[in-house]
Amino acid sequence: MSVLHRIKRPADLRSLSPDELDDLAAEVRTFLVSSVSRTGGHLGPNLGVVELTIALHRVFDSPSDTIVFDTGHQSYVHKLFTGRQDFSGLRQRGGVSGYPSRAESDHDVVENSHASTALSWADGIARAHKLQGRSDRHVVAVVGDGSLTGGMAWEALNNIAAGQDRRLVIVVNDNGRSYAPTIGGVARHLDDLRATDRYERVLTWGKTTLQRGGRPGRFAFDALHGLKKGVKDVVAPQGLFEDLGIKYLGPVDGHDRAALEHALTRARDFGGPVIVHAITEKGRGYVHAESDAADRFHAVGAIHPETGLPIAPARFGWTSVFADEIVAIGRQHRHVVTLTAAMLAPVGLVRFAEEFPDRTFDVGIAEQHAVTSAAGLAYGGLHPVFAVYATFLNRGFDQILMDVALHKAGVTFVLDRAGITGDDGASHNGMWDLALLRLVPGIRVAAPRDESTLREELREAVAVDDGPTVVRYPKGALPDPILAVQRIGGIDVLARHVGDGDSRVLVVGVGAFAGTALQVAEALAAQGIGSTVVDPRWVLPVSPALVELAKAHGLVVTVEDGLLDNGVGDAIRSGMARAGVNVPVQAHGLPTDFLGQATRAQVVAEVGLRAQDIARDAAAAVAHTESSPAPSF
């Protein structure tokens, strides 16, 4: 039996010999490449934390000791050591989650895969242990260096430093990257620490040289050692951490298990907050990941493990269209600049950055800062375009409201992966944006349905300079083009179906659900029910032209991949009511719930957003209306 298959719980690691531990590390890497290549997932980060995870579970006693991962995509190895070695359904419905999951194991604590939060979790858990007298328990936060670019991490460090009697260990997993290479002042500081062993060499010199000089030499060495803070500031600038009042250990080779165990043991036994700085290599041990300069195979789809190449080539997708169009816009408009929060490649800004490096700003994992910095750029006469995953825009909501909208700043937010994303689970579905943004005065939100409307609406958005604009689109491949038959007041009419009587149903398809709206209309037509299908293009605020169209119909049906509560359908209903249009609205969207991992198609079926589901409900509403007696007055 392989060493890995003998590990059923973390305690099993403590009985292994050094040779067995080396074999285990090799087996884990082989397992990861073999398994993740079949399902897709976060490969590079986990290849980089094999020895670190072994050391963590040999030194600490999970789940009595709490281990929190930031972000959770570096937790695959942890799963293997805590009873979860079936990765055949990784990131699929019913399979192992791609992030920590409380439903899977009591060794998992924080499910949210949004970065820079683990230190706050650790601070709270350690405070709870202290207040409830659990003095034998430790809290360990494993934090990527990219997460330290987020301001929330530093807010937490400020508070952690105040609790000198709390047993809290911060492991900085420093591979110089989040998705792409980590940027900013923190990254430069970590580079200094990563690149020097001068401090240790100075102390070694002192110990071997000065102590030869008898009592005077020993006195000189003691003085030097007593002034270690000053020495460290000169030869290894780690004062950034120790000035906060947090003990610092490192840098440590993150692939030297014995050195890691020694450092972690010292940190565990210190009795107060300690930072252990581990230097790791993302993608370690897999040549194709190590040679991938872009992101070291941070996240991959299904690949051929022998070559690292995709099994199926990716279709031209929404992000690629944005990447192409924003470069064209940049060439025509010198005042257009772009921002990203440590995701230059995933959101499609690489080409813009290559052509306009001085007009591209990667702020690190700091969405709040990005939004307010964009407001400042707008005040300075530029038009910033902040490209971000829809789920991460939640983190900057207050800044959108109070810094951008309140000041009528001309900022464009481009929301990638809006709506249902599926396999990354609850924290990555970009389903909250429409309901949140509806609360923002003056904001204008576009939801393109295909390639041409994305290009068109992006250009319309960057032309607005008196308030915020948003362009949102889903994850994945583009649909076939959907041509309009007419444009009325900025609204695209996609189809008209004449039924047995007049056109009775207005079907409103929001963004990626325009195609579904057309299918709904066809299903209604098969039952003799007439309809008009429209794409509002700009879905918030509700267009007066859409309200006028609703007047001519007996039922309005809306379909969107945002929240049903406070979503676009809800906004249309409210807009009609304010205008005195008394036409029923049947809205279809996502429930206010956390949706588990599944494919997009599975989620659509589960929540009733298939065309046949919507058409059935619409036909039933039409039949009910026809059978209801006329009101008497």
Side-chain angles (χ1 to χ4, degrees):
M1 180 184 291
S2 70
V3 181
L4 176 58
H5 289 156
R6 287 159 46 194
I7 306 301
K8 307 300 181 185
R9 56 196 180 112
D12 295 338
L13 293 166
R14 297 179 201 125
S15 62
L16 299 181
S17 68
D19 287 344
E20 288 175 316
L21 291 168
D22 291 340
D23 291 342
L24 174 64
E27 289 177 15
V28 167
R29 287 194 167 92
T30 299
F31 176 93
L32 289 173
V33 172
S34 174
S35 297
V36 178
S37 66
R38 290 194 294 269
T39 62
H42 290 96
L43 181 57
N46 287 284
L47 290 171
V49 297
V50 175
E51 290 83 6
L52 176 57
T53 309
I54 291 172
L56 281 168
H57 279 299
R58 280 172 57 83
V59 172
F60 295 96
D61 182 21
S62 176
S64 177
D65 292 330
T66 302
I67 301 176
V68 181
F69 291 91
D70 188 346
T71 61
H73 54 52
Q74 58 186 324
S75 64
Y76 290 11
V77 186
H78 163 80
K79 288 174 182 274
L80 293 177
F81 298 157
T82 52
R84 290 164 284 175
Q85 295 187 10
D86 180 3
F87 273 34
S88 60
L90 178 67
R91 301 168 70 242
Q92 298 169 14
R93 174 176 282 176
V96 173
S97 170
Y99 296 95
S101 169
R102 291 183 180 181
E104 291 179 3
S105 174
D106 58 0
H107 294 277
D108 291 5
V109 177
V110 181
E111 301 186 10
N112 186 355
S113 56
H114 291 193
S116 308
T117 64
L119 296 182
S120 296
W121 274 96
D123 177 57
I125 295 168
R127 287 178 189 271
H129 287 341
K130 176 67 176 177
L131 286 172
Q132 298 186 60
R134 296 190 287 258
S135 59
D136 60 335
R137 297 191 182 186
H138 298 81
V139 182
V140 184
V142 183
V143 182
D145 57 297
S147 292
L148 291 181
T149 63
M152 187 174 173
W154 293 92
E155 294 173 23
L157 282 169
N158 183 54
N159 282 271
I160 288 169
Q164 290 297 312
D165 56 350
R166 282 184 266 141
R167 298 179 180 273
L168 197 161
V169 177
I170 301 165
V171 179
V172 177
N173 172 30
D174 181 6
N175 58 27
R177 292 171 171 268
S178 46
Y179 273 86
T182 309
I183 56 87
V186 172
R188 286 194 298 272
H189 175 78
L190 291 174
D191 280 342
D192 289 339
L193 297 178
R194 192 183 301 123
T196 182
D197 62 354
R198 288 175 291 169
Y199 168 61
E200 299 300 334
R201 285 191 282 109
V202 167
L203 288 186
T204 299
W205 169 81
K207 186 172 184 178
T208 58
T209 303
L210 295 177
Q211 288 191 344
R212 293 198 200 109
R215 181 175 296 177
R218 288 192 295 274
F219 177 80
F221 173 73
D222 289 344
L224 174 62
H225 197 71
L227 292 172
K228 67 178 182 177
K229 174 62 170 64
V231 174
K232 286 180 180 180
D233 284 345
V234 173
V235 299
Q238 56 203 342
L240 178 64
F241 299 114
E242 290 202 335
D243 284 349
L244 286 170
I246 303 176
K247 178 72 174 176
Y248 172 94
L249 298 176
V252 181
D253 182 349
H255 303 293
D256 184 334
R257 181 192 46 76
L260 283 167
E261 288 189 29
H262 177 70
L264 290 170
T265 301
R266 289 177 61 198
R268 180 196 65 193
D269 296 342
F270 180 70
V274 181
I275 288 176
V276 177
H277 182 189
I279 310 299
T280 64
E281 297 176 16
K282 195 172 186 177
R284 171 100 170 186
Y286 183 44
V287 63
H288 303 298
E290 291 176 338
S291 59
D292 178 29
D295 67 3
R296 296 290 184 92
F297 280 28
H298 177 88
V300 297
I303 60 173
H304 294 285
E306 301 83 3
T307 64
L309 296 175
I311 289 176
R315 290 178 58 195
F316 194 66
W318 292 91
T319 306
S320 300
V321 175
F322 165 72
D324 181 66
E325 192 64 20
I326 193 64
V327 170
I329 291 171
R331 289 170 182 163
Q332 295 174 0
H333 304 287
R334 294 181 58 83
H335 69 293
V336 170
V337 298
T338 64
L339 297 95
T340 176
M343 301 184 76
L344 196 72
V347 298
L349 286 178
V350 169
R351 286 182 53 204
F352 191 95
E354 290 172 348
E355 188 158 340
F356 309 110
D358 294 339
R359 291 160 56 189
T360 306
F361 310 109
D362 186 342
V363 302
I365 303 177
E367 291 84 0
Q368 291 174 288
H369 166 66
V371 174
T372 301
S373 179
L377 287 163
Y379 177 75
L382 302 173
H383 190 100
V385 176
F386 178 27
V388 60
Y389 282 8
T391 183
F392 297 138
L393 188 73
N394 307 347
R395 297 157 66 97
F397 176 76
D398 181 69
Q399 289 68 35
I400 294 170
L401 184 67
M402 294 299 175
D403 293 323
V404 175
L406 175 64
H407 294 88
K408 296 180 172 57
V411 177
T412 295
F413 300 93
V414 174
L415 307 188
D416 200 322
R417 289 156 173 77
I420 302 164
T421 56
D423 50 16
D424 274 332
S427 63
H428 268 52
N429 281 311
M431 55 191 278
W432 317 100
D433 59 305
L434 291 170
L436 284 171
L437 294 173
R438 188 182 164 199
L439 303 174
V440 178
I443 200 162
R444 283 160 274 193
V445 181
R449 65 180 181 269
D450 58 13
E451 177 178 349
S452 65
T453 54
L454 170 52
R455 293 181 186 275
E456 181 182 34
E457 289 160 29
L458 180 61
R459 286 183 174 272
E460 291 172 0
V462 297
V464 175
D465 61 6
D466 62 350
T469 54
V470 178
V471 179
R472 73 185 302 269
Y473 49 79
K475 177 182 180 180
L478 285 161
D480 292 333
I482 301 174
L483 301 180
V485 298
Q486 185 181 7
R487 180 166 290 180
I488 302 174
I491 295 168
D492 279 352
V493 178
L494 305 182
R496 287 190 177 92
H497 292 272
V498 178
D500 295 338
D502 295 331
S503 180
R504 287 176 288 180
V505 180
L506 178 66
V507 186
V508 182
V510 174
F513 272 86
T516 301
L518 287 170
Q519 294 170 6
V520 170
E522 290 167 1
L524 292 174
Q527 302 177 62
I529 301 173
S531 64
T532 305
V533 182
V534 298
D535 167 16
R537 299 178 65 255
W538 289 85
V539 296
L540 295 176
V542 174
S543 167
L546 184 59
V547 174
E548 285 298 312
L549 272 172
K551 282 183 181 180
H553 295 78
L555 174 68
V556 176
V557 174
T558 68
V559 55
E560 61 189 295
D561 57 353
L563 293 183
L564 181 60
D565 294 336
N566 205 46
V568 173
D570 212 7
I572 292 171
R573 182 186 291 114
S574 297
M576 291 168 55
R578 285 193 297 271
V581 178
N582 189 26
V583 174
V585 177
Q586 187 183 86
H588 298 265
L590 299 175
T592 305
D593 200 358
F594 294 107
L595 306 180
Q597 66 187 30
T599 66
R600 178 182 173 87
Q602 287 171 333
V603 174
V604 166
E606 181 179 338
V607 301
L609 286 180
R610 295 176 302 179
Q612 60 264 41
D613 303 323
I614 298 165
R616 183 184 61 245
D617 292 347
V622 170
H624 176 76
T625 301
E626 290 178 343
S627 63
S628 298
S632 58
F633 299 96

